[in-house]
Amino acid sequence: MKSFSSVLQNSLRSTAASSELAAKAARANKVKQMWREAVDPVFLDHTNAVYIVREGDEKTLIVYVDDSMFAAELNARRELVKLKFLQKFNEEIEEFKILISRGRYKQNYPFRDQGGDPFYVGPAVRVPLPEERRAELEEQCSLISDERLRKSLLKAMISDLEWKSGIEKRKSNNRAL
C-alpha cells in the first residue's frame, strides 16, 4: 500500500501537469483566434496550422499553408501581419515563418467552416442572362468598330456575368441552408 504522502504528491503532479496542458490549449486557441482576425478569409481557407513559439526573448509566428502561391502572398504581407498582431493584440512578433504543409497535415483545415470546401471550390453553374441585360451589353459593345473584337468582348462579358450569377446563386443557396 502506498503512503498518503506519495499518493498526494502524485495527485498534485498530475493536477499541475493538467493545468499546464490546459494553459497551453488556451494559448493555442487564442493564437488561432488572433490569426482569424489578422488575415483575410482566403488565407484562412488555406491555413493548415498556426503557432507562436518563444525562442529566448523573441516570439516567432509560424504558419503552415497548403499551397506555395498562398505562402508567397503571405510573405508579401509579412510586415502588415506582424503590425496587425502588435496593434490589435499587443503581440510583438520578431520573426514570421511561412511553411508549406506536407503529407497528411496538408489536409488539415482548422479555419474552414464545417460545411466543407469554400464557396469558390467546385463547378459553377452558369445562369443565363435576361434578354434586357444582353441587349444592354450589345448596346455598350456597339461602339467598337472592329466586328471581331466586338463579338469576342460581348461573348466574354456575357460568359463572365453568367458565371458570376451562378456563384451568387450558389452562395445564396448555401446561406439559406
Side-chain angles (χ1 to χ4, degrees), residues 135-147:
E136 288 174 17
L137 292 174
E138 287 175 4
E139 184 179 326
Q140 289 173 351
C141 290
S142 67
L143 300 174
I144 300 172
S145 59
D146 185 344
E147 183 180 349

Side-chain angles (χ1 to χ4, degrees), residues 1 14 49 136 152 154 162 169 171:
M1 185 175 197
S14 75
E136 288 174 17
S152 295
L154 180 63
E162 288 177 343
K169 182 178 179 181
K171 282 169 58 176

Side-chain angles (χ1 to χ4, degrees), residues 89-104:
F89 314 111
N90 202 27
E91 289 277 347
E92 189 168 351
I93 305 295
E94 282 80 21
E95 191 175 351
F96 184 7
K97 292 182 182 177
I98 303 161
L99 305 167
I100 299 170
S101 298
R102 301 172 83 180
R104 63 185 171 95

Side-chain angles (χ1 to χ4, degrees), residues 11-33:
S11 173
L12 289 174
R13 269 193 219 125
S14 75
T15 303
S18 66
S19 62
E20 185 179 319
L21 288 175
K24 284 183 179 181
R27 176 65 176 158
N29 283 332
K30 184 178 178 185
V31 169
K32 285 181 181 179
Q33 186 60 38

Side-chain angles (χ1 to χ4, degrees), residues 151-162:
K151 285 182 178 181
S152 295
L153 180 62
L154 180 63
K155 182 178 176 183
M157 290 171 68
I158 290 171
S159 177
D160 181 59
L161 290 172
E162 288 177 343

Side-chain angles (χ1 to χ4, degrees), residues 36-53:
R36 186 175 275 117
E37 293 178 31
V39 297
D40 295 332
V42 71
F43 291 109
L44 293 177
D45 282 338
H46 295 277
T47 300
N48 300 117
V50 60
Y51 309 99
I52 293 179
V53 295

